[in-house]
Amino acid sequence: MLIKRKQFLQVGSLATASFMLPKFLKAFEKPMMVPAGNKVVVIIQFSGGNDGLNTVIPIRNDIYYKERPKLGIAKEDVVQLTDEVGLNPALVAFKDLYDAGSLGILNNVGYPNPDRSHFRSMDIWQTASNANDYINTGWIGRYLDAQCNGCVQPTQALEIDDILSLALKGENNNGLSFKDPRRLYSISNEKYFKDIAAQNHKGEETVDYLYKTMSETLSSADYIFQQSKLHPTAETYPATGLGKDLKTIASLIMSDINTKVYYISLGSFDTHVNQQAQQKRLFTELNDAVKVFTNDLKKNNRFQDVLMMTFSEFGRRVAQNTSGGTDHGTANNMFFISGGLKEKGLLNALPDLADLNEGDLKHKVDFKDVYATVLKKWLGADDKLILGKQCDYLNFI
Amino acid sequence: MPIPNRLKNQHLLWRAGFGPMAENAAGLDNITSKQLWEVLLKTSSKEPVKLVVASNVVDGLEKGVDDMVQIEKLTKEEKKAIQKQSREDLKTLNLRWMDEMINSEAQLREKMSFFWHGHFACRIVNIYFQQTLLDIIRNNALGKFSSMLREVSKSPAMLQFLNNRQNKKQHPNENFAREVMELFTMGRCNYTENDVKEAARAFTGWGFDVKGEFVFRPFQHDAGVKTFFGKTGNFDGDAIIDILLQQKQTALYITQKIYRYFVNEKADDVKIAWLANRFYQSDYDIEKLMEAIFTSDWFYEEKNIGIKIKSPVELLVGIRRLLPLTLQNENAQLLFQRALGQILFYPPNVAGWPSGKSWIDSSTLMLRLKIPQIMTANEVISIRPKSDDDSMMGQMMENKIAEKLNKSYSDKGASAIVDWEAVATIFKTVSRENLLPKISDTILQTNSRINTVLLLTYLNNESRENYIKSVIINLMSTPEYQLC
């Protein structure tokens, strides 16, 4: 039991020894206790279809300003990255990450025959299916199926939310969703539940499913709660939804938990009307939480091993609509944040606004290539098995 | 093995309503399901009374005003106050409707309305519009789908929610047209992107006035020629709806959804095709469709019983129907709805609530198992569900609502005073040794049962009433009770 021994070491010898260490040496303690090389992915879903063009802004593109006379963000207002590219004014901390070489921006990500319905396109992204295929398992769920065969604690993928997303539902394994480790633990720690869950059950399919979920929850709840208490983060996170979620994740990343994938969502980015205020509010929440989170990881020497990535179910139309917003579009950009990026900054060219498909961006990179890259190069998983085909790999990690 | 009458009748009550009620549960051995269906039909035949919670008409009308120009005239504080009041009123409407589901004898009507409430999913914080939409749905729940579709499509709630006020001749907004086809009538893959564009043109000019009444604005309408489903003409919105109703696919799509919801998630294509055809021939008569389902033999087959995961609202209402209780804090029900993933009037997205296994994950399952104890045993539990604004179609719900709910919840708890005497009368003729199996047959719809030896160690033998009480609470706190 490697994990237990490690915990013992931390609590036992190091804790007592630390009495005698000078203060400056204590700073080195914690990083040494965290397992190195344990790669983790944190996925942030922008729900509702984030407007990519007002996220990564082509500040020298006349077409952009022509199509968005009211909604276009002026060059002097953006957070400028290069002569041609600016970020949404709310993403100040992303500029610091960019300067430090910890931010990658991939443009024009999408898929052929894009669907403009929220839930369908979200399903496509979450299941990693083609636009005309229907799959009822998610790509992370299938990663669990491939990875987690017979594993003791089904905690390899955690979603910090009340509702488990399709992305984390596999054929035989589900990710686990909870809002707060303590709440999950307190509900699960009851003898009656443990007793009926221990009953040898053979029933109708749905009954079995419920019992399986129950047993897994009971065994995992205790494990997650114990892990969450090992190294609670000392940083002050913003008191927003995302701030709290990233705080929970930070504490778990600093522990010995076997979690490889964390999943959270932010929204709604469905800005048909009054886009500017809504996107600003959400990006401010994102910016402030990510800033503290990345600093926290850096201080604890974990930034190298953590990859954050963002996505949305689609981008939005190039042209603004008449209600101060934008309608559903197609291809979009993704952010990658990590101390371990191999390629940094702008990973490819900005969208070509002169070459549109009925007013929408054409995709240049299939999002399944991104998944394949993350699965293979970051998580060391069998991407071909999980995605059902051989995709092309990208080079940012 | 033949299926006992009680099981069949409970099956009908769970699917066509919200489960057996304490005062009627004892009599379920002695009538046939056909007779029970007649009762359900009769008790739902009356026109429902509109649920009105907007403080007064003027107030309601004022909230109905959502014209951008008029909104801009209001100060920030005024806007905030209106939103806040609307949100409060929506909570009241939520609880009022839940009361109907629990106590109304019109079980069939309320259950159908609950289904249509998910079908015609609409998430806007405007109490006046929401209560109008609910009224349309409850009035038409057993009537003609064609009438309901038209009324819903012309309701200010839906026109606002799906952005049809922004759909103008010069700048068509496709949201409304797309969702009418994708979600209300045909289902995906049964129309082209061009159909969406043409329908959007036809719906231009559909809006509503300051009083929340539907209006057609000719100057915003694109009166040009459109081609839709192979037909060409100067179509307006009504013509589009007519063409959609002419498509047999619409009857098929609705019937599929109804079959999956009321019978079995695993679709039986042959039965669905047969039902859909009748539905189409009857000019979309919902009551006839439901009668064909609930009076068929196959509905009562073993494979259809006890296999459907109750939605959160079905679970909560079902508990309250069998256990007559007075909640110390009605708002606790809102918190349960939220934590379990189904808040009335706040569907997750335009597609309404998903169903089946998607209700179940680690945290929702554990809370479901805990709820009977929380309600009946005075247990306090702290839940802090996050704002699920992420799928709110851009309309924000105040983040604070979760915290506030949670606060009022932990202040007062979710405990309830159960009328155990009324519950005990269900079983008054049952001998002590038969109590456990009898209660088990009343509470659970599944084949699977809880191990008796294990259960006995958790039962309270102090008195007959305590025994009944502990059997019920323990049985309700099981995976089996999640099914109906």
Side-chain angles (χ1 to χ4, degrees):
Chain A
M1 292 297 283
L2 190 68
I3 287 170
K4 280 217 171 116
R5 216 184 95 232
K6 206 179 266 166
Q7 283 170 12
F8 170 76
L9 284 175
Q10 285 159 11
V11 179
S13 54
L14 278 173
T16 30
S18 69
F19 278 113
M20 295 170 278
L21 290 175
K23 240 185 184 164
F24 70 92
L25 272 181
K26 270 193 181 177
F28 293 99
E29 255 180 54
K30 227 172 156 190
M32 286 166 63
M33 291 194 284
V34 177
N38 181 21
K39 296 267 193 269
V40 167
V41 184
V42 179
I43 300 166
I44 305 183
Q45 169 182 303
F46 294 159
S47 303
N50 176 41
D51 180 23
L53 279 175
N54 274 14
T55 306
V56 180
I57 301 148
I59 48 180
R60 285 231 306 235
N61 195 316
D62 295 340
I63 305 175
Y64 168 76
Y65 290 106
K66 205 182 105 221
E67 294 294 338
R68 298 184 164 199
K70 268 169 87 178
L71 215 56
I73 300 176
K75 189 178 170 183
E76 52 273 22
D77 293 333
V78 303
V79 175
Q80 199 164 340
L81 298 184
T82 68
D83 287 349
E84 309 215 337
V85 185
L87 290 177
N88 186 285
L91 297 174
V92 188
F94 282 60
K95 161 80 167 153
D96 299 336
L97 291 165
Y98 175 86
D99 290 341
S102 308
L103 175 71
I105 299 169
L106 188 64
N107 298 293
N108 312 310
V109 190
Y111 54 90
N113 304 315
D115 199 298
R116 288 170 189 80
S117 138
H118 288 288
F119 83 112
R120 180 57 194 149
S121 196
M122 190 55 95
D123 276 4
I124 291 167
W125 273 86
Q126 293 204 358
T127 61
S129 71
N130 294 321
N132 53 354
D133 290 339
Y134 296 83
I135 306 180
N136 47 25
T137 56
W139 71 286
I140 300 161
R142 295 197 300 277
Y143 162 72
L144 293 176
D145 285 339
Q147 207 67 11
C148 199
N149 208 351
C151 66
V152 192
Q153 304 289 356
T155 44
Q156 295 213 12
L158 300 179
E159 178 167 12
I160 313 300
D161 204 302
D162 283 325
I163 296 175
L164 188 72
S165 297
L166 179 56
L168 287 85
K169 293 182 183 178
E171 198 66 58
N172 304 307
N173 294 277
N174 277 344
L176 209 118
S177 76
F178 60 90
K179 199 62 203 148
D180 173 11
R182 186 177 294 273
R183 175 180 141 206
L184 176 67
Y185 174 76
S186 70
I187 292 179
S188 311
N189 195 25
E190 187 160 317
K191 190 171 179 294
Y192 177 65
F193 295 149
K194 291 189 168 161
D195 279 354
I196 58 171
Q199 267 185 271
N200 206 353
H201 237 279
K202 238 344 171 210
E204 187 274 329
E205 187 193 330
T206 327
V207 178
D208 287 348
Y209 173 78
L210 294 174
Y211 269 98
K212 180 173 170 269
T213 308
M214 187 181 181
S215 302
E216 285 178 358
T217 308
L218 297 180
S219 65
S220 303
D222 185 60
Y223 175 61
I224 293 170
F225 181 55
Q226 298 309 330
Q227 291 292 329
S228 74
K229 290 192 301 185
L230 275 184
H231 302 289
T233 172
E235 297 298 309
T236 308
Y237 280 75
T240 57
L242 197 71
K244 286 176 197 159
D245 292 350
L246 285 180
K247 187 178 180 182
T248 302
I249 292 174
S251 296
L252 288 170
I253 285 177
M254 263 48 116
S255 77
D256 286 331
I257 200 165
N258 65 354
T259 308
K260 306 294 283 179
V261 181
Y262 296 91
Y263 199 97
I264 42 181
S265 50
L266 179 68
S268 164
F269 286 92
D270 195 21
T271 48
H272 289 282
V273 292
N274 197 16
Q275 170 167 311
Q276 225 130 39
Q278 176 95 345
Q279 205 184 25
K280 183 181 168 197
R281 179 183 73 86
L282 293 165
F283 276 165
T284 304
E285 182 173 344
L286 176 75
N287 183 74
D288 298 354
V290 166
K291 185 179 175 181
V292 179
F293 182 66
T294 47
N295 283 335
D296 198 3
L297 293 175
K298 276 181 214 163
K299 278 188 200 167
N300 288 284
N301 280 356
R302 293 292 278 136
F303 197 38
Q304 291 289 113
D305 293 326
V306 176
L307 172 69
M308 292 184 93
M309 69 182 224
T310 67
F311 80 96
S312 196
E313 69 265 40
F314 43 63
R316 305 188 81 84
R317 287 271 156 92
V318 175
Q320 66 183 36
N321 63 22
T322 47
S323 353
T326 47
D327 292 336
H328 302 180
T330 51
N332 208 349
N333 40 46
M334 296 177 78
F335 287 132
F336 303 97
I337 299 168
S338 174
L341 293 181
K342 286 195 172 151
E343 280 180 354
K344 296 139 199 206
L346 292 149
L347 304 176
N348 59 355
L350 291 182
D352 183 353
L353 300 187
D355 180 25
L356 299 178
N357 182 10
E358 295 183 30
D360 277 321
L361 302 180
K362 291 180 179 171
H363 87 279
K364 298 281 159 60
V365 181
D366 195 305
F367 73 93
K368 293 183 276 305
D369 293 349
V370 175
Y371 290 178
T373 306
V374 171
L375 287 167
K376 169 105 173 169
K377 295 189 179 180
W378 198 260
L379 296 172
D382 185 346
D383 58 296
K384 225 155 84 178
L385 177 78
I386 294 163
L387 299 173
K389 64 172 182 179
Q390 181 64 61
C391 299
D392 295 333
Y393 301 118
L394 303 163
N395 298 317
F396 63 93
I397 44 174
Chain B
M1 209 175 72
I3 292 163
N5 243 6
R6 159 169 297 275
L7 185 57
K8 281 189 187 177
N9 287 335
Q10 287 177 176
H11 179 49
L12 178 59
L13 287 175
W14 272 113
R15 301 298 180 87
F18 291 90
M21 198 167 199
E23 56 198 76
N24 304 322
L28 292 176
D29 292 304
N30 308 322
I31 56 167
T32 66
S33 299
K34 187 88 195 354
Q35 287 168 322
L36 185 57
W37 167 251
E38 296 298 333
V39 173
L40 281 169
L41 262 188
K42 188 156 173 268
T43 47
S44 287
S45 59
K46 271 180 278 178
E47 200 176 293
V49 177
K50 184 173 180 179
L51 300 178
V52 178
V53 301
S55 330
N56 61 57
V57 183
V58 181
D59 197 23
L61 284 178
E62 206 176 273
K63 284 170 210 150
V65 177
D66 206 359
D67 185 69
M68 290 318 276
V69 183
Q70 306 220 16
I71 280 277
E72 265 149 35
K73 276 189 208 153
L74 298 169
T75 66
K76 229 179 174 180
E77 285 68 34
E78 282 172 324
K79 276 191 242 174
K80 256 192 159 168
I82 287 175
Q83 285 274 310
K84 195 177 163 209
Q85 188 57 46
S86 236
R87 229 173 264 124
E88 287 301 311
D89 290 345
L90 268 179
K91 286 196 236 168
T92 312
L93 186 63
N94 180 326
L95 294 173
R96 281 280 306 280
W97 191 22
M98 247 185 119
D99 272 345
E100 292 296 316
M101 295 175 186
I102 296 161
N103 298 313
S104 169
E105 58 170 19
Q107 281 289 295
L108 177 64
R109 179 175 295 280
E110 298 304 341
K111 186 60 174 277
M112 289 309 299
S113 303
F114 181 51
F115 168 77
W116 295 119
H117 178 67
H119 182 74
F120 292 115
C122 179
R123 190 163 177 159
I124 54 165
V125 185
N126 182 318
I127 180 60
Y128 182 72
F129 292 177
Q130 283 280 19
Q131 72 187 17
T132 305
L133 178 59
L134 180 63
D135 194 49
I136 292 171
I137 284 173
R138 286 173 77 236
N139 264 305
N140 289 284
L142 287 161
K144 290 283 172 72
F145 173 74
S146 35
S147 316
M148 178 157 49
L149 173 66
R150 207 176 298 274
E151 282 186 50
V152 167
S153 304
K154 289 182 174 179
S155 69
M158 211 49 96
L159 289 167
Q160 181 183 324
F161 181 54
L162 298 177
N163 306 103
N164 206 59
R165 289 174 315 150
Q166 286 89 42
N167 185 18
K168 295 170 187 169
K169 186 177 176 179
Q170 291 77 13
H171 292 275
N173 183 314
E174 291 163 14
N175 205 22
F176 185 82
R178 181 184 305 282
E179 307 306 18
V180 165
M181 284 190 267
E182 175 177 328
L183 303 165
F184 298 170
T185 56
M186 304 278 290
R188 272 180 41 81
C189 297
N190 293 300
Y191 47 84
T192 63
E193 278 298 309
N194 199 52
D195 287 328
V196 175
K197 290 203 162 78
E198 295 288 272
R201 290 177 56 212
F203 283 118
T204 50
W206 275 28
F208 51 87
D209 63 16
V210 160
K211 290 178 185 166
E213 303 282 344
F214 174 79
V215 285
F216 175 68
R217 299 194 167 97
F219 56 92
Q220 289 181 1
H221 178 65
D222 178 346
V225 173
K226 297 117 193 158
T227 300
F228 184 68
F229 280 94
K231 298 184 180 180
T232 305
N234 294 21
F235 301 134
D236 60 8
D238 274 309
I240 295 292
I241 287 180
D242 287 338
I243 295 172
L244 287 171
L245 287 166
Q246 282 161 21
Q247 311 298 314
K248 287 198 167 169
Q249 172 60 28
T250 296
L252 184 63
Y253 178 71
I254 300 298
T255 309
Q256 267 166 349
K257 202 165 170 181
I258 282 181
Y259 185 94
R260 287 213 170 101
Y261 188 92
F262 290 94
V263 183
N264 198 321
E265 290 235 332
K266 289 190 188 113
D268 181 327
D269 292 339
V270 177
K271 292 195 174 72
I272 288 170
W274 181 79
L275 290 166
N277 197 36
R278 284 174 55 117
F279 189 39
Y280 185 78
Q281 300 300 339
S282 73
D283 190 20
Y284 293 94
D285 189 318
I286 302 162
E287 186 180 304
K288 280 192 182 142
L289 174 64
M290 301 320 289
E291 181 154 74
I293 292 172
F294 291 133
T295 57
S296 72
D297 289 337
W298 46 259
F299 174 70
Y300 298 94
E301 283 170 8
E302 192 183 324
K303 65 173 185 206
N304 294 327
I305 299 178
I307 46 101
K308 188 189 171 227
I309 298 179
K310 294 170 191 167
S311 86
V313 168
E314 287 171 323
L315 177 76
L316 296 168
V317 172
I319 292 173
R320 291 201 55 190
R321 279 179 63 75
L322 198 76
L323 304 181
L325 53 81
T326 317
L327 275 169
Q328 287 176 8
N329 174 17
E330 291 274 325
N331 279 349
Q333 298 180 106
L334 300 173
L335 188 72
F336 288 143
Q337 286 182 18
R338 182 178 196 90
L340 295 178
Q342 186 174 41
I343 314 172
L344 297 172
F345 304 102
Y346 290 91
N349 54 45
V350 288
W353 290 279
S355 63
K357 287 182 181 175
S358 63
W359 293 124
I360 300 300
D361 62 66
S362 325
S363 36
T364 58
L365 180 60
M366 294 321 290
L367 179 58
R368 279 166 170 255
L369 297 176
K370 239 356 208 191
I371 280 177
Q373 300 168 61
I374 297 172
M375 279 193 179
T376 57
N378 241 342
E379 225 171 286
V380 173
I381 179 170
S382 180
I383 310 168
R384 202 175 282 274
K386 87 163 183 183
S387 155
D388 50 0
D389 148 67
D390 49 289
S391 33
M392 283 203 55
M393 290 283 299
Q395 280 123 10
M396 273 181 280
M397 184 153 96
E398 196 77 30
N399 285 336
K400 290 275 175 350
I401 194 169
E403 284 158 40
K404 246 176 27 203
L405 273 175
N406 190 46
K407 190 166 177 298
S408 55
Y409 176 57
S410 34
D411 285 351
K412 295 177 201 159
S415 57
I417 299 152
V418 182
D419 184 356
W420 286 110
E421 256 176 66
V423 179
T425 55
I426 310 173
F427 309 104
K428 67 170 184 265
T429 59
V430 183
S431 65
R432 177 74 178 238
E433 62 273 20
N434 284 332
L435 264 180
L436 186 52
K438 181 75 183 181
I439 296 175
S440 202
D441 287 346
T442 308
I443 302 280
L444 304 180
Q445 290 294 99
T446 49
N447 273 333
S448 159
R449 289 296 146 98
I450 306 301
N451 181 306
T452 311
V453 180
L454 174 88
L455 197 56
L456 284 171
T457 63
Y458 283 93
L459 299 181
N460 182 329
N461 279 302
E462 281 165 24
S463 65
R464 187 180 160 95
E465 191 182 296
N466 278 346
Y467 184 75
I468 292 173
K469 192 170 159 177
S470 60
V471 176
I472 290 178
I473 293 171
N474 278 295
L475 286 176
M476 281 183 168
S477 309
T478 59
E480 281 83 350
Y481 187 68
Q482 310 312 312
L483 298 164
C484 73

